[in-house]
Each structure stands twice: as C-alpha cells, then as structure tokens.
Amino acid sequence: MKKKKYIRIKTGHILTGIIVFTIFIYILGIENQSKPLLSENEDRLIELNRNSFFDSITLKKCFVLFYAEDSELCDIMSASLSKLAKDNQGKTGFYKLNLDKYPEYDLKYNISGVPNIFIFNEGVEVARIMGVVPEQNLEKIYDKTFN
C-alpha cells in the first residue's frame, strides 16, 4: 500500500505569498497612476483667471470646472468635461479655474469641495455638479440644461 503524501504549508510560506502579492498589486497600481488621463492637446478646457472669469461666463452658456491641481478626481472630471467640449465645440464655453491660485472664488460661490462644475447661462448659475460624474450623465445634464 502506498503512503499518502501530504503537503504542509508553513506560516512562512503564507507570509511570503502575501508579501509577493502585495508588491505585485503595488507595482500595478503605480503603473496605472503614472498614465495621464489626458494629453496636453486633448484638454479642451480654457484656463480662466481673475481677469477673464467674469467676461467668459457672461458671454454665453458655459461650464466652469473649479479644481485643485493635485486632485485625481479633478483630473477625471477634466477629462470627462473635455470630451463633452469636443462634442459641443462652438456651442458652449468650457472653462476651468484653479482654486489653489484663486481661493477667493470658493467663498464667492460657496464651493465646499472639488471637483465642482458650475453651469452658467449669461453669467447666471443655472446648475451645479459636485463630485465625479460619469461622462454619460454629463451629456444628459448638458442636453437637459441647454436643449
């Protein structure tokens, strides 16, 4: 009669497996983070400043993304809004304003966090979008607001 062979898993084997798995996941995470959501020429949002803000929002219908420079969520919304801008070029203004450079606007418009998108029609706020919103929802909001 043959003896049955048993495999014994020791604590060291389990710990080594967990460490290798953690390192693998970490490396994959770094690779995904290093890829930009938009290349420089795909960003279709016009950067506003103190001088251009009021003139830009009063001329026509527009979307303004209030953002912070080091926010991944803001980068996601910038990419989504740029795609909407590409599809609606010439009909609507698409802008962004850096709240790190112009913090007075978060008080003026009562902005509690970023990303935050304001929709203006001839200088009057008609809608506000807070947080990250999927591209499809942005398109629906655009259609509902301006069509």
Side-chain angles (χ1 to χ4, degrees), residues 3-20:
K3 280 189 171 180
K4 292 185 179 180
K5 293 182 181 180
Y6 293 100
I7 298 174
R8 291 188 181 200
I9 298 176
K10 297 181 180 180
T11 307
H13 294 126
I14 293 172
L15 289 175
T16 304
I18 290 172
I19 291 169
V20 169

Side-chain angles (χ1 to χ4, degrees), residues 61-63 92 119-121 126 141-147:
K61 307 176 255 188
C62 67
F63 280 66
T92 307
I119 303 171
F120 293 99
N121 190 6
V126 294
I141 292 168
Y142 178 87
D143 290 340
K144 187 176 181 180
T145 305
F146 295 129
N147 293 331

